[in-house]
């Protein structure tokens, strides 16, 4: 078993699902983000999917695309994000950081072993590398395994072929991200999450890694529904990023606003 697999989501005795929250590094600015990350740790959140911002994402909706743009305008790139993780990670008691980076924008211009080594050395607990070309995947799996860096694999409900699902199951070592529907982030399945149970069950047969469901998860009811279908964890992105955007636009305390959002998804008392 990989070093972090068993602990990536803390399955506590209260039966609560694991919780991962997505944010772009640089939105809010890194000094504010540091306080926000420390708050997430204190409030018992399991995982932060921390993205290296990149332009023109075809899989993201308008909320997250605007977030990318705000972070890029501040000059935040891979080097700045890794420095941020190296600074904050030793201060965390519980929260794990899964770095999300885009292959074309952040990685492909350099030797993959070199980049993976830097990510591992930063203290990131896992890596989700977005849009890895098929020709690169075997090498990617080998390099991350050699570096001892757990990875997040992805597949889509209903859309991914059996081969794609099998590959995701085989190589998931941080967690397996099951995308609830094909489309852009922030959109929930029109028919709801109810028919995810079969996909979760099928994936479960092949992996010991946690299965986390994202895309369209916005409320406490969504969290409960997805967990009830067998997922170990939920991933919340656009709804939280929208709270950051609103706080920044109105000059409000981003950390306090985001803390209120987290409390709307789960209670501190249950997760402490």
């Amino acid at each position: 078993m990989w070093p972090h697999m068993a602990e990536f989501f803390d399955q506590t005795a209260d039966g609560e699902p694991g919780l991962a929250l997505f944010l772009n590094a640089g939105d809010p600015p890194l000094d504010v983000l540091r306080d926000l990350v420390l708050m997430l740790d204190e409030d018992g959140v399991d995982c932060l999917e921390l993205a290296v911002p990149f332009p023109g994402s075809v899989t993201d909706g308008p909320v997250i695309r605007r977030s990318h743009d705000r972070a890029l305008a501040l000059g935040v790139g891979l080097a700045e994000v890794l420095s941020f993780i190296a600074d904050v990670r030793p201060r965390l008691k519980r929260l794990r950081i899964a770095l999300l980076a885009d292959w074309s924008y952040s990685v492909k211009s350099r030797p993959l072993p070199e980049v993976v080594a830097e990510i591992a050395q930063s203290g990131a607990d896992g890596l989700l590398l977005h849009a890895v070309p098929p020709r690169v995947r075997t090498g990617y799996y080998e390099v991350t395994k050699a570096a001892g860096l757990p990875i997040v694999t992805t597949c889509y409900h209903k859309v991914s072929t059996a081969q794609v699902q099998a590959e995701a199951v085989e190589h998931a070592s941080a967690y397996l991200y099951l995308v609830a529907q094909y489309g852009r982030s922030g959109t929930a399945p029109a028919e709801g999450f109810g028919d995810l149970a079969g996909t979760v069950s099928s994936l479960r047969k092949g992996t010991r890694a946690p299965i986390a469901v994202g895309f369209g998860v916005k409320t406490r009811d969504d969290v409960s529904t997805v967990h009830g279908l067998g997922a170990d964890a939920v991933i919340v992105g656009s709804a939280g990023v929208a709270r950051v955007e609103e706080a920044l636009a109105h000059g409000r305390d981003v950390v306090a606003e985001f803390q209120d959002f987290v409390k709307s998804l789960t209670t501190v008392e249950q997760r402490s």
Side-chain angles (χ1 to χ4, degrees), residues 45-138:
V45 173
D46 296 296
C47 175
L48 172 64
E49 278 192 2
L50 185 63
V52 181
F54 60 99
S57 172
V58 298
T59 58
D60 286 321
V63 170
I64 291 181
R65 287 169 71 100
R66 291 195 298 269
S67 175
H68 284 305
D69 291 343
R70 288 192 295 272
L72 289 167
L74 296 178
V76 176
L78 180 61
E80 289 76 19
V81 180
L82 295 184
S83 293
F84 175 85
I85 294 173
D87 174 66
V88 75
R89 188 64 188 83
R91 295 168 169 78
L92 304 179
K93 301 186 292 291
R94 167 175 173 150
L95 183 73
R96 295 190 179 278
I97 298 176
L99 179 73
L100 190 161
D102 180 71
W103 163 260
S104 294
Y105 188 76
S106 300
V107 175
K108 78 172 184 179
S109 63
R110 296 173 54 201
L112 184 58
E114 180 180 294
V115 179
V116 167
E118 289 181 4
I119 293 169
Q121 290 164 9
S122 75
D125 298 285
L127 172 63
L128 196 174
L129 192 54
H130 176 261
V132 184
R135 61 181 174 77
V136 177
R137 286 179 193 152
T138 298

Side-chain angles (χ1 to χ4, degrees), residues 15 18 26 28 30 36 43 77 79 82 92 98 107 120 136 170 175 177 202 208 218 223 235 243 252 255 267:
L30 294 179
L36 193 156
D43 281 10
L82 295 184
L92 304 179
V107 175
V136 177
E170 179 182 357
Y175 53 94
Y177 187 159
S202 176
R208 291 181 294 168
K218 300 177 180 179
V223 171
I235 302 167
R243 292 291 290 267
R252 297 200 290 263
V255 177
T267 65

